[in-house]
Amino acid sequence: MDSEAFTILIPLAFTFGLLALGFFAGTAIEKKHFREIRQREQKHRKLVAINFRSLPENWQATESRLVTGSVVISLDYFKRFLAGLRGIIGGRIKSYETLLDRGRREATLRMKEMALASGCNAIINVRLETSKLASSRGDGKGVAGVEILVFGTGVRISGKEG
Amino acid sequence: MEFQDRLPEEGINYSKTHPLREFAVLVAGVLALGVGVFLILSFLLGQAMRFIPPEKETRLFGGLSDQVQEFFTEADDLESQERLETLLRDLSANWPEAPYSFEIILVAEGEPNAMAFPGGLILVTTGLLETVDTDNGLAFVLGHELGHFAHRDHLRQLSRGLAMGTVLALFGGSGSSGAPNLLRLSGEIGNRRFSQSQESSADLFALELLEKRYGHVGGATEFFECILETEGESSSFLSTHPAPKKRIDVIKSVVLKRGWAVQKSSP
């Protein structure tokens, strides 16, 4: 194996190494997270989060407060790579879809957990916001990550369990 | 319909396609696209190349000779310089369609090497003179460089580089990590393989020229055999030049096929 071959093999190995790392680590983390999310969603099913702007008529609220849940996520190399390829061909960026779905659901769960901790048993006026976090890249391209914020008005409804 | 209080299924807001499948499909697709555009561009540029006559090529690259000489130190060996000039003259006399006049310069460099530059300049290192003793062996090396001129390999490389650059510019701007890198590396692999085929063609040209000049092809493999002895098998699939052993084998099989004579080379 001569030095000319290495000028190709080393960058290639590096790229595939990063891809493999992103793929294996990322996939394992993702599976685990989805399992955990589903468990918590099941647990919190009774605490409804709705996006009515105002209280439904037959609800009597004794308490209300702002509740928020947020999560900051970053992409692994593998996901970013796939998204870059999609940028040429077009179509659903499936690698991002799972990440964002996890983010939204996690943020929603955190909001519910905050509501529960503050003594609320329902959340109204639920909204979602996504913000991009600036990356430290010199050319200004790319994002460091994304923050998903889910917020609403937590209320204590009398006559409701929980 | 009664309301059923249950958690929705998974996979509503995301696809359950396995990421590796997504990866395979996308990489195959982008590579196919890239290769397609590259081939079309290369073909078009190759056709356009036919309209650049050698005289224009000499004018375009004429200044290279001076620049190159600044980079290398000319060897102070008049005898060897004259020997090389004679060899080249006699050799190219057997190539009447030679498009330009050639200039040969001996440079002081330990590494055995010969380089062809667009416009007709050939550089030979003193290291080469030390490695290859016989006239025939040297003539083969010179013939190989003439082969690059005959096949206009420099222009071909330029047009390949242009095509590659265009493909990378088209596809690389999607702000991604890795994807343009992958394209560039694939392009480079293709380039290496193509370069190897160019070197083989130049070898065959040299062989024919040698036969015309000397009536036999003894000494053709001298350079490669010396390299094998000193460096061993070092080239590979990804090198710009084919492996010395392979070049020797190809030469030998062509000699056999064409029934050329192999006599002792004159020192």
Side-chain angles (χ1 to χ4, degrees), chain A residues 1-5 7-9 11-12 15-16 19 23 27 34 38 41-42 45-46 77-78 80-89 92-95 97-98 101 104-105 137 141-142, chain B residues 5-10 13-15 17-20 22-23 26-27 29-30 33 171-179 181-185 188-189 192 233-236 238-241:
Chain A
M1 200 59 74
D2 70 319
S3 54
E4 276 183 337
T7 61
I8 288 191
L9 288 176
L12 210 60
T15 303
F16 276 108
L19 283 174
F23 171 69
T27 310
F34 270 123
R38 202 148 176 89
E41 282 178 345
Q42 186 72 346
R45 257 175 51 235
K46 296 292 178 194
Y77 190 84
F78 185 70
R80 236 190 279 260
F81 184 86
L82 286 182
L85 292 180
R86 276 288 171 199
I88 298 170
I89 295 185
R92 285 172 70 177
I93 309 179
K94 298 179 186 171
S95 63
E97 283 180 353
T98 52
D101 189 56
R104 273 191 299 272
R105 290 159 74 177
R137 268 175 70 152
K141 278 199 205 165
Chain B
D5 180 17
R6 60 165 189 264
L7 268 184
E9 288 169 26
E10 290 294 317
N13 283 316
Y14 60 88
S15 168
T17 312
H18 196 276
L20 278 184
E22 174 92 342
F23 178 76
L26 285 178
V27 168
V30 169
L33 255 176
F171 290 163
S174 49
S176 66
S177 53
N181 220 21
L182 201 71
L183 270 176
R184 182 182 61 82
L185 286 172
E188 190 52 37
I189 293 177
R192 299 282 171 91
E233 200 56 79
S234 59
S235 296
S236 67
L238 292 175
S239 307
T240 52
H241 291 64

Side-chain angles (χ1 to χ4, degrees), chain A residues 44-52 59 67 108-109 111-112 115 121-127 150-153 160:
Chain A
H44 292 303
R45 257 175 51 235
K46 296 292 178 194
L47 201 164
V48 292
I50 55 180
N51 61 354
F52 288 18
W59 283 15
V67 289
T108 309
L109 282 168
M111 179 186 68
K112 283 193 177 181
N121 55 9
I123 313 175
I124 63 168
N125 203 17
V126 173
R127 304 281 173 245
V150 185
F151 58 97
T153 308
K160 227 177 175 294

